[in-house]
Amino acid sequence: MRAVWVTVIGGIDWPRTLATDEASMRRQQQDLCQILDQLKAANINTVLMHTRVRASMIYPSEIEPWCEYLTGKTGKSPGYDPLQFCIDECHKRGMECHAWVVTLPVGKWNSPATKMLRQKMPNTIRKIGDEGFMNPERPETAEYLARICKEITEKYDIDGIHLDYIRYPETWKITVPRNEGRRNITHIVRTIRDAVKSVKPWVMYSCSPIGKFDDLARYSSRGWNAYSKVCQDAQGWLKDGLMDALFPMMYFKGDHFYPFAIDWQQHTSGRIIAGGLGTYMLDKRQQNWPIEEMRRQMYVLRDLGLGHAHFRSKFFTDNTKGVYEFSVNEFDRYPALVPPMTWEHGEVPEAPTYVKLNGNQLTWASVPARESYTLYNIYASEQSPVDTEDARNLVATRVMGTSCNIPSANRHYAVTAIDRYGNEGPACQDVNAPTAPAPTTSAITVQTLPCDGQTLTVPNGFEDAEYLIVETMQGTIIATHQNKRQIDVSGIPQGYYRLKTLTAQGITRHIGYFVR
């Protein structure tokens, strides 16, 4: 699991502009596409998209109003459905999109959205300081949040429901015994889960608990933990089958990170855990962590068999302290598949009955879908048969449909089917793939775009495009640039690449190939 949280509140990740007319709406969409392109180029496979922000939504809900951070005004439509747009764009890129739902916090006490909720549920919203919170001890809290998550699941082809702040606020003076407090939070978790799974059992159900579950035998949580402090029995939720995945907020370092990472690994109960990384701590205005700390944390999580999730998008895509380059060029060089939810459904789909290559068009037979629809993974290699156990051969994930364009016809290909639970079936090999060797660099240099190894010159005739996209020959986006005559390519690895345009309407055009 390789995830990133995309934060909407205050537009701190997205949107960068408010949607007040047609042009600004398009700009808002383009900005999101640029973020997703960068995440795809870094082989991120899961986007945690802020959906319920603070008692407000980024989609047309029948329960709560439009989020003010889209347009500058609570209840005002941006002119499109951002959640649907994000889902579609993630799926085009072979990434999962999970709806990130903030549960108990509802925003400033006198904000328009909080006032609306207070009028609907006057006995359920509690004031702490100048903030409003849903009371976890009131039964209607669980029912209300379940309605929201069920609405999202019913209306959208979402891949996951991700709960945030599903705990007692740290400022809440808990008067009930801690065991009762944990039962209250667990009741909300169970009620939402039942609502989501009754509609679409393949939707991954997850949350982001405090990064330290509880005190350890040799290491203290220093009074800040999930279980004892804020009544989150997150490890129990995995054990009891109430959660499919956890994204613990492990925004610490040293002895506050590594022993607790091991503790999470020892209590997975066969489910998915992706350690939440405090990527924002790299920023000099935050804790100014050295990049070595983040690199070590990522490698330790991988050594433990855990995934990782960056908090948050902007600090990652802005390449703070080089974290993005580290991911693209070293740590996540190849795509990865989200672990399957075998506990929900363990039977793998069939293999396609044929895979055919016609020029640069790869086609395959469809596989019957058991739930919703079937997706496909594509592998490529100079060797035949293609080894689908080698991550380096995975070139496209979660492809919708039964055909795609490939960058090179001089390779062998294999296709596997993957169901909505993430179960991958056996491969069907392209037995007719040509065996001619790929052309050498010297044979193709006359056909490539001018590039001196540092700067790529873009030919005339493509001025109508908004962006320029650099892809590997396997189709992985590795860089996105504003359209201009010359672009800096010094930061990408040496190799052979394809250059494309992207217009404001989402239309792409092939420009040509270049050697870096």
Side-chain angles (χ1 to χ4, degrees):
M1 176 74 79
R2 303 170 180 174
V4 170
W5 280 280
V6 179
T7 307
V8 170
I9 189 167
I12 53 179
D13 286 338
W14 178 87
R16 300 166 187 165
T17 56
L18 299 176
T20 56
D21 54 25
E22 180 78 12
S24 56
M25 180 194 79
R26 295 297 179 196
R27 183 65 187 178
Q28 202 173 86
Q29 294 175 329
Q30 291 162 13
D31 286 344
L32 182 57
C33 286
Q34 184 177 11
I35 292 170
L36 298 180
D37 281 344
Q38 288 183 272
L39 299 182
K40 175 64 177 176
N43 287 317
I44 296 297
N45 56 30
T46 304
V47 174
L48 304 170
M49 186 67 194
H50 218 168
T51 300
R52 187 194 191 219
V53 185
R54 290 293 188 273
S56 59
M57 305 296 198
I58 69 162
Y59 69 93
S61 170
E62 297 179 5
I63 303 172
E64 291 188 336
W66 281 104
C67 174
E68 66 174 304
Y69 300 115
L70 299 170
T71 63
K73 184 177 180 180
T74 300
K76 182 180 179 181
S77 168
Y80 72 110
D81 185 336
L83 180 56
Q84 185 64 63
F85 183 81
C86 185
I87 293 169
D88 291 342
E89 293 300 320
C90 284
H91 287 177
K92 286 179 187 177
R93 292 162 176 79
M95 297 188 292
E96 292 194 3
C97 184
H98 294 210
W100 165 14
V101 176
V102 178
T103 54
L104 297 186
V106 296
K108 297 296 182 182
W109 187 252
N110 288 317
S111 68
T114 303
K115 283 183 177 180
M116 293 180 196
L117 189 56
R118 285 164 51 198
Q119 291 173 357
K120 285 196 299 184
M121 310 178 74
N123 298 320
T124 307
I125 311 304
R126 179 170 172 178
K127 184 179 181 182
I128 303 179
D130 63 349
E131 300 281 337
F133 295 86
M134 301 193 75
N135 189 339
E137 297 168 7
R138 302 279 300 189
E140 58 267 25
T141 294
E143 297 164 6
Y144 184 81
L145 293 172
R147 279 181 57 212
I148 288 174
C149 294
K150 187 174 183 179
E151 179 185 60
I152 296 169
T153 306
E154 287 179 333
K155 290 181 65 173
Y156 296 96
D157 185 22
I158 204 74
D159 300 295
I161 293 290
H162 176 69
L163 305 184
D164 186 16
Y165 225 108
I166 187 68
R167 58 182 172 87
Y168 275 84
E170 57 270 29
T171 51
W172 189 291
K173 294 181 180 179
I174 304 176
T175 58
V176 299
R178 282 300 194 273
N179 284 341
E180 184 177 340
R182 284 188 284 270
R183 285 195 297 270
N184 291 334
I185 301 299
T186 298
H187 171 69
I188 301 174
V189 168
R190 180 179 287 107
T191 303
I192 298 174
R193 182 195 186 281
D194 291 346
V196 169
K197 295 290 186 176
S198 68
V199 179
K200 296 173 182 174
W202 61 85
V203 168
M204 186 178 291
Y205 187 46
S206 70
C207 74
S208 50
I210 300 300
K212 305 172 186 177
F213 179 68
D214 204 357
D215 289 334
L216 304 178
R218 295 178 56 196
Y219 296 92
S220 170
S221 67
R222 306 286 179 89
W224 181 235
N225 62 68
Y227 187 76
S228 300
K229 179 66 177 180
V230 295
C231 300
Q232 279 182 315
D233 188 12
Q235 292 181 358
W237 299 338
L238 292 183
K239 183 179 178 181
D240 295 339
L242 295 182
M243 283 279 170
D244 299 311
L246 297 180
F247 296 77
M249 300 182 293
M250 304 184 68
Y251 311 151
F252 317 106
K253 63 180 181 178
D255 287 346
H256 293 281
F257 182 93
Y258 301 103
F260 296 93
I262 295 171
D263 181 58
W264 288 113
Q265 186 271 337
Q266 292 174 342
H267 294 88
T268 63
S269 297
R271 304 296 172 101
I272 300 166
I273 292 183
L277 297 167
T279 310
Y280 70 102
M281 292 292 196
L282 294 169
D283 188 84
K284 62 183 179 181
R285 292 162 295 185
Q286 299 289 333
Q287 296 296 316
N288 200 25
W289 284 3
I291 185 60
E292 289 74 21
E293 177 67 32
M294 186 61 57
R295 290 165 61 100
R296 183 186 179 205
Q297 289 186 8
M298 293 171 72
Y299 273 114
V300 167
L301 289 175
R302 178 164 291 175
D303 287 345
L304 292 172
L306 306 180
H308 58 276
H310 292 279
F311 186 81
R312 50 188 174 80
S313 168
K314 180 175 172 56
F315 294 98
F316 180 63
T317 57
D318 280 358
N319 194 32
T320 308
K321 296 278 182 71
V323 64
Y324 183 81
E325 291 180 354
F326 165 67
S327 295
V328 170
N329 298 326
E330 181 178 338
F331 192 75
D332 288 333
R333 288 180 59 194
Y334 305 102
L337 303 179
V338 174
M341 295 189 293
T342 53
W343 49 90
E344 287 284 1
H345 182 89
E347 187 177 353
V348 302
E350 304 170 9
T353 55
Y354 70 84
V355 174
K356 293 182 179 178
L357 186 61
N358 183 11
N360 285 85
Q361 183 80 7
L362 189 70
T363 61
W364 54 88
S366 63
V367 172
R370 297 189 183 92
E371 302 270 16
S372 185
Y373 54 79
T374 300
L375 299 161
Y376 300 91
N377 299 321
I378 300 173
Y379 298 80
S381 173
E382 295 179 355
Q383 307 298 319
S384 181
V386 179
D387 182 2
T388 58
E389 295 299 313
D390 188 338
R392 295 171 295 182
N393 293 335
L394 181 60
V395 294
T397 61
R398 297 173 55 84
V399 176
M400 305 179 77
T402 55
S403 67
C404 72
N405 291 321
I406 57 173
S408 174
N410 295 297
R411 306 182 78 189
H412 296 274
Y413 289 87
V415 177
T416 64
I418 185 170
D419 65 18
R420 295 305 302 274
Y421 300 93
N423 296 298
E424 186 182 31
C428 180
Q429 301 280 340
D430 170 26
V431 296
N432 297 317
T435 57
T440 63
T441 300
S442 59
I444 61 175
T445 51
V446 293
Q447 304 173 10
T448 57
L449 302 173
C451 179
D452 61 6
Q454 302 293 317
T455 303
L456 172 67
T457 301
V458 181
N460 294 323
F462 300 93
E463 291 77 13
D464 61 332
E466 186 88 11
Y467 299 103
L468 298 173
I469 298 174
V470 177
E471 285 185 349
T472 66
M473 295 306 294
Q474 289 75 38
T476 299
I477 298 172
I478 198 167
T480 302
H481 298 271
Q482 293 285 341
N483 190 2
K484 53 186 177 181
R485 190 65 198 279
Q486 292 185 322
I487 60 174
D488 181 8
V489 296
S490 61
I492 66 175
Q494 293 184 354
Y496 191 56
Y497 296 94
R498 180 185 185 188
L499 184 67
K500 297 196 304 184
T501 65
L502 177 66
T503 68
Q505 293 74 35
I507 299 171
T508 61
R509 292 173 62 192
H510 171 76
I511 298 179
Y513 300 96
F514 69 95
V515 178
R516 154 75 174 92

